[in-house]
């Protein structure tokens, strides 16, 4: 494949960016030289970008977080990108968070002639990052890379529970891979290795709210765990709470086959579902929606919404 003159990679996920750089450079013999756009660029950056390598391989100059550079930088870059240089491959990573499914390319970049030229030549790569809708593709790629298969229902559980950060997701899958052994088949019992269960086991947290001693322990964690007390966990906990609610609802209504868990945990959750009943299980959706609304309207800070989330969950008992 003919190499690109320069490249723009638009994605907020660092691991996906790393993958894409590797795909672009494969077979071309370029050495990766990485610099960071949220730091002051040194003379070494400009020298690597402008002076051909006389010894060793040609340079792929990768500028991470390039969206943090100012107008002066991009104005200067225009003249450099207009020159064809076989021994230098500039690659700009625009890592701003996407909004409403659309990339946020700075106007100082999108207004430049080099941006239009890159788009016309297919030198712009855009990826919104992982989502619950696309995470299955990453699971398939991981399975293909390692010769794995997923037991019935396991892939669905992973797609619903794994983090939407590629590096974190792969770290979790690497743990499960060790448990799969020579059979190369991921079984429901292997899911106990997930960090989501180790770092915050929501089911255990909900069970603890049933007793005074358990409630005291839950509140101690809420007050003393920095991620919980600061509100950083409110959205992960909300997501896990909805997942638990769906499972409890299905188990309560005899849809056991749709809940893929190892048997002992499924039995335990079914007992809890029967104890709570449909009215109290359905309250989980109200609780999560209220927390989401409070934060997004600015009525409450995340830490306050997290506290309310636990209070309302406690009232279910």
């Amino acid at each position: 494949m003919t190499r690109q003159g320069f490249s723009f990679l638009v994605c907020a996920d660092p691991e996906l960016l790393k993958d894409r750089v590797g795909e672009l450079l494969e077979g071309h013999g370029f050495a990766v030289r990485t610099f960071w756009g949220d730091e002051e660029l040194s003379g070494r950056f400009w020298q690597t970008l402008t002076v051909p390598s006389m010894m060793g391989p040609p340079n792929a100059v990768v500028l991470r977080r390039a969206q943090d550079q100012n107008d002066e930088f991009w104005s200067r870059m225009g003249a450099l990108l207009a020159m064809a240089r076989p021994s230098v491959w500039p690659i700009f990573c625009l890592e701003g968070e996407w909004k409403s499914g659309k990339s946020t390319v700075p106007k100082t970049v999108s207004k430049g002639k080099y941006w239009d030229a890159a788009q016309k030549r297919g030198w712009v790569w855009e990826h919104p990052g992982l989502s619950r809708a696309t995470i299955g593709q990453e699971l398939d790629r991981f399975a293909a890379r390692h010769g794995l298969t997923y037991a019935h229902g396991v892939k669905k559980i992973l797609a619903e529970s794994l983090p939407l950060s590629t590096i974190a997701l792969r770290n979790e899958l690497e743990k499960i891979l060790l448990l799969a052994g020579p059979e190369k088949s991921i079984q429901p019992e292997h899911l106990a290795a997930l960090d989501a269960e180790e770092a915050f086991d929501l089911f255990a947290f909900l069970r603890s709210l049933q007793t005074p001693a358990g409630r005291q322990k839950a509140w101690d964690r809420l007050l003393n765990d920095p991620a919980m007390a600061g509100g950083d966990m409110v959205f992960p906990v909300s997501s896990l709470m909805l997942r638990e609610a769906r499972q409890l609802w299905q188990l309560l209504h005899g849809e056991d086959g749709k809940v893929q868990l190892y048997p002992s945990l499924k039995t335990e959750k079914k007992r809890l579902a029967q104890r709570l009943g449909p009215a109290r299980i359905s309250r989980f959706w109200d609780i999560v929606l209220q927390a989401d609304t409070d934060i997004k309207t600015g009525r409450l800070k995340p830490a306050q919404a997290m506290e309310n989330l636990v209070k309302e969950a406690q009232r279910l008992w």
Side-chain angles (χ1 to χ4, degrees):
M1 184 180 76
T2 305
R3 60 149 284 196
Q4 299 179 1
F6 52 90
S7 308
F8 287 98
L9 311 184
V10 187
C11 181
D13 189 314
E15 195 70 4
L16 292 177
L17 285 170
K18 181 180 175 183
D19 288 352
R20 183 56 181 167
V21 169
E23 291 169 2
L24 285 173
L25 300 182
E26 186 175 6
H28 290 293
F30 279 76
V32 177
R33 312 296 181 193
T34 302
F35 299 87
W36 294 87
D38 53 359
E39 301 174 355
E40 184 176 353
L41 293 173
S42 65
R44 181 168 168 266
F45 167 79
W46 295 105
Q47 181 178 5
T48 308
L49 186 66
T50 56
V51 180
S53 176
M54 304 303 292
M55 303 289 292
N59 291 319
V61 183
V62 179
L63 183 60
R64 295 287 310 277
R65 300 199 58 81
Q67 77 279 0
D68 292 337
Q69 285 298 305
N70 57 25
D71 290 2
E72 181 183 353
F73 169 88
W74 291 108
S75 177
R76 184 176 178 182
M77 196 57 59
L80 291 174
L81 296 182
M83 297 185 292
R85 288 167 299 150
S87 60
V88 179
W89 188 340
I91 300 177
F92 304 100
C93 300
L94 304 172
E95 303 176 45
E97 292 294 332
W98 289 42
K99 297 179 181 178
S100 302
K102 296 182 180 180
S103 59
T104 52
V105 177
K107 288 184 178 180
T108 189
V109 178
S110 60
K111 290 188 301 184
K113 292 181 180 179
Y114 42 77
W115 177 260
D116 287 336
Q119 283 192 314
K120 291 175 182 177
R121 291 173 171 81
W123 296 351
V124 177
W125 175 82
E126 295 184 285
H127 196 299
L130 296 183
S131 68
R132 292 300 166 201
T134 63
I135 193 172
Q137 298 169 15
E138 180 63 28
L139 294 174
D140 289 339
R141 280 193 291 270
F142 186 88
R145 195 156 52 241
H146 296 281
L148 294 173
T149 59
Y150 298 110
H152 177 69
V154 167
K155 182 181 171 183
K156 182 175 185 294
I157 295 172
L158 291 172
E160 291 176 349
S161 60
L162 286 174
L164 296 178
S165 160
T166 304
I167 190 168
L169 176 144
R170 290 175 181 173
N171 286 339
E172 295 303 296
L173 290 175
E174 291 287 350
K175 295 177 186 177
I176 298 174
L177 179 61
L178 294 175
L179 297 176
E183 293 80 12
K184 296 285 188 177
S185 177
I186 306 299
Q187 299 295 319
E189 57 266 27
H190 297 151
L191 304 186
L194 292 178
D195 254 357
E197 296 294 334
E198 295 174 0
F200 188 78
D201 186 339
L202 184 68
F203 182 57
F205 189 78
L206 293 176
R207 282 181 305 179
S208 72
L209 297 177
Q210 299 178 59
T211 65
R215 286 195 288 272
Q216 182 61 50
K217 186 177 179 180
W219 281 105
D220 285 344
R221 176 167 189 183
L222 178 64
L223 295 173
N224 297 313
D225 185 320
M228 296 281 280
D232 294 342
M233 285 289 291
V234 64
F235 288 117
V237 168
S238 294
S239 177
L240 288 172
M241 190 171 284
L242 289 180
R243 178 188 167 204
E244 289 294 328
R246 282 194 298 272
Q247 290 183 345
L248 293 173
W249 187 267
Q250 289 169 326
L251 291 170
L252 180 66
H253 291 85
E255 298 178 355
D256 300 39
K258 295 181 178 180
V259 179
Q260 302 297 323
L261 296 168
Y262 37 97
S264 60
L265 182 56
K266 182 184 286 191
T267 300
E268 195 174 357
K269 288 194 177 189
K270 187 162 188 172
R271 283 199 296 265
L272 179 60
Q274 291 167 341
R275 179 177 178 183
L276 287 173
R280 284 188 287 177
I281 292 176
S282 64
R283 276 283 297 146
F284 282 115
W285 277 274
D286 297 332
I287 292 170
V288 170
L289 180 61
Q290 186 62 54
D292 185 70
T293 302
D294 287 341
I295 293 172
K296 290 180 177 177
T297 59
R299 197 178 78 84
L300 295 178
K301 295 180 179 179
Q304 296 170 315
M306 184 72 206
E307 186 175 328
N308 279 357
L309 201 66
V310 176
K311 283 180 181 176
E312 293 301 322
Q314 180 180 315
R315 290 195 178 106
L316 296 177
W317 279 270

